[in-house]
Every structure is written in C-alpha cells, then in structure tokens.
Amino acid sequence: YVRCIVPNHERKPLVMDLKYTSSQLRYSGIVSAATLSREAFPNQMKNRTAVDRFGFLLLQSRYK
C-alpha cells in the first residue's frame, strides 16, 4: 500500500504547506503508526551497530 502525500493544495513544486501535509499524515494514520512503533520499540540501535550485527544476513541473501 502506497500513500502519496501532497505537499500543497496547488501541487506546485518546491512549495510545502506544513499544516496541509501534517493533516494528511495524521488522518492517514502515519503519525499514529510512528507513535505506536516508537512506544513499542523504544530502544533503537545505531545503524553501524545493526550493520555489524546483522550485515552477514544481507550477504547471504544475495547468494541464494
């Protein structure tokens, strides 16, 4: 499922209406999902730590 967020009513490039964009994120459930995810998984590891710990899985999946 892909949900496009429109940055402004006029759909002009390089123009961002923060209120309009925020309301789209809120009403589509994106804000709730992010909040829930943050509460459910409060301990996040740094990218380098994740790569060091799980990087071998990426290498293995390329050769299968």
Side-chain angles (χ1 to χ4, degrees), residues 40-58:
F41 304 102
N43 299 324
Q44 297 180 1
M45 64 178 73
K46 303 271 186 213
N47 288 339
R48 183 77 246 167
T49 304
V51 169
D52 290 344
R53 191 177 297 178
F54 302 111
F56 71 94
L57 295 172
L58 295 172

Side-chain angles (χ1 to χ4, degrees), residues 10-30:
E10 298 83 22
R11 298 181 184 211
K12 291 182 180 176
L14 304 174
V15 177
M16 178 87 160
D17 181 348
L18 188 59
K19 240 179 167 176
Y20 182 63
T21 305
S22 296
S23 68
Q24 290 180 76
L25 293 170
R26 189 171 38 259
Y27 294 127
S28 67
I30 302 293

